[in-house]
Amino acid sequence: MSKISEQRLEEIKQLASEGKLASHPTAGITAHPQIQGRDPYYGLPALKPPVWTWEVPLYFFIGGISGVSACIAFAAQIFGADPALIRLLVWVGFVGALVCPALLIADLGRPARFLNMMRVFKWRSAMSMGAWILVAFSGAIATALAAVELPRWGFDGGLVTALRWLGGIGSTVTGLLLASYTAVLIGATAIPVWFKNRVVLPIHFLCSGLGSAAGICELAGFLIPATHLLGFFASGVETLLEAWFLLRRTKVNAPMHHGGLGVAFLISGMLEGPASLLLRIFLGATPAGRWAAALSFMTGALISRFCWIRAGKVSALDSRGQFEMQRRGEAVP
C-alpha cells in the first residue's frame, strides 16, 4: 500500500471516529464519554456493556449468603449443633430464596420473563442453569424449613426425619451451586475483566457467602468457635485474593485499579480481608471484636458485588482490554 493510501486511510478513520463521514456506519456517532482519551475502536466500544441494574449485584450478595447458610445448616445438623443455630441458618436460606426471585423479576421487568426462562433447560447456559438452580434451591430449603418447624408444632417421626435429610442434602448441593454460579455466569461472558478473572471469581464469591453467613450467626448471638473459625477462614482467603488482584495490574484489570471504582474495589477488599482478619486476631476474644469483624466482612462483600458489575460495564467500553487478550491468544467467548 502506498504512502498516500495509508494517509488517506488514517484520514477516513479519523473522520469516522468524529462522526463526520456520512457514508461510514459510525457517522453521527461520537465516542462514549467513558472511553475518551483511550484507544477506541472507531470511537465506539467493541462490546455492548451489560445493562444490569442494582438488583443483580444485590441478588449475587443475598444468593451467596442464602446458599452457603443452607450448607452450614446441614453440616451443623450432622454434627449435632445447637438446634437454634440450625433453625436460624435454615431461615436465612429460606428468606434469601424468597428475595432472590423478586430481585431477578425486578431486573427483568415483569414476572413473565422469569417464567419464560423456565420453558427451556440449557445445561451449557449459565443463565438458564441459574434459573433452574434457584427454583431447585427454593424447593429444597422449603423442605428443610418444614423439617425444622414441624417438631415445634408437635409433628415428629419418620416423615420429619426423611424431610430433614432430603431438604438438607438438596439445599446443600443446590446452595453451593447458587452461591457460585453467579461468578461462572459473568466469567463466561466476553467482558474482558470478568473473563480474565473467571478462575478466581467462584472462589471469591463462595468465600464472601461463607464469611457473610458466619457473620449473620455471630450478629445473632452465636459467638461459638465454629462461627469464628469460618469467619477466620473466609477472611484469610479474601486477604490472599485481595493481594492477587492488587498484583495483577494489567490493562484488562484496569477498571479495578483506577479512579473511583478502583478505590471502591480497594475498600471492599480491605474490609473483607485484612480488616476483618485483624479484628478476629486481636479482638476475637471479645463479642465487640467478633461483631465488628462480621460487619466489616459483610460490608466489603456487598460493596464488591456492585464493584464487579460496574467493572464489567467499564471494561466493555474499553476495547483495549479485549484486543490485548486476543493478541495473547486467550479465547474470549
Side-chain angles (χ1 to χ4, degrees):
M1 182 181 295
S2 66
K3 184 176 182 181
I4 297 178
S5 299
E6 292 179 357
Q7 292 177 347
R8 180 55 182 162
L9 179 59
E10 293 300 323
E11 291 175 1
I12 293 174
K13 289 181 179 180
Q14 182 64 29
L15 291 173
S17 66
E18 296 175 357
K20 297 180 181 179
L21 190 62
S23 60
H24 197 277
T26 60
I29 303 177
T30 57
H32 194 284
Q34 295 192 38
I35 60 172
Q36 292 287 359
R38 304 182 186 180
D39 181 21
Y41 180 67
Y42 293 106
L44 295 171
L47 298 172
K48 183 178 180 180
V51 296
W52 289 335
T53 52
W54 61 269
E55 294 92 348
V56 172
L58 188 59
Y59 161 63
F60 286 4
F61 176 69
I62 295 177
I65 295 176
S66 180
V68 176
S69 294
C71 300
I72 300 175
F74 185 58
Q77 172 188 316
I78 293 176
F79 288 100
D82 186 353
L85 174 62
I86 298 174
R87 184 169 183 264
L88 170 66
L89 288 166
V90 172
W91 268 106
V92 169
F94 181 73
V95 171
L98 294 178
V99 174
C100 286
L103 291 172
L104 283 181
I105 291 171
D107 178 71
L108 292 172
R110 57 177 185 267
R113 291 177 178 173
F114 180 78
L115 295 176
N116 288 336
M117 295 176 66
M118 307 304 301
R119 296 173 60 186
V120 294
F121 182 86
K122 297 181 179 180
W123 67 272
R124 291 187 177 182
S125 169
M127 185 169 292
S128 176
M129 290 300 298
W132 282 98
I133 288 170
L134 180 56
V135 171
F137 174 76
S138 299
I141 196 65
T143 302
L145 181 64
V148 168
E149 294 297 330
L150 283 176
R152 298 169 63 89
W153 294 89
F155 297 95
D156 207 345
L159 176 61
V160 173
T161 301
L163 291 176
R164 184 179 296 117
W165 283 97
L166 181 63
I169 295 174
S171 61
T172 296
V173 175
T174 56
L176 284 174
L177 294 174
L178 178 63
S180 59
Y181 100 87
T182 50
V184 177
L185 172 65
I186 63 176
T189 66
I191 305 297
V193 71
W194 291 348
F195 183 78
K196 185 72 173 180
N197 297 285
R198 65 191 182 280
V199 176
V200 295
L201 275 174
I203 302 173
H204 174 43
F205 278 32
L206 277 173
C207 283
S208 290
L210 177 64
S212 298
I216 289 177
C217 294
E218 291 179 315
L219 293 173
F222 292 96
L223 302 175
I224 58 178
T227 56
H228 184 51
L229 180 61
L230 292 176
F232 195 95
F233 173 79
S235 298
V237 174
E238 287 298 326
T239 300
L240 294 176
L241 289 176
E242 177 62 15
W244 170 265
F245 290 135
L246 287 175
L247 292 174
R248 291 174 63 84
R249 303 181 70 89
T250 63
K251 289 182 179 179
V252 177
N253 286 339
M256 302 171 60
H257 304 297
H258 299 289
L261 181 58
V263 174
F265 257 114
L266 181 62
I267 292 174
S268 67
M270 290 298 175
L271 289 174
E272 275 190 286
S276 179
L277 184 62
L278 290 174
L279 284 169
R280 292 189 179 277
I281 291 175
F282 294 105
L283 299 175
T286 64
R290 298 276 293 273
W291 294 332
L295 288 174
S296 174
F297 190 97
M298 293 177 66
T299 302
L302 178 60
I303 296 174
S304 72
R305 295 300 183 276
F306 284 88
C307 286
W308 278 109
I309 298 302
R310 181 60 183 168
K313 294 181 179 182
V314 175
S315 180
L317 294 173
D318 187 1
S319 58
R320 295 180 307 171
Q322 185 184 25
F323 296 154
E324 179 188 2
M325 295 177 67
Q326 291 176 348
R327 284 194 294 269
R328 292 182 177 183
E330 297 183 28
V332 180

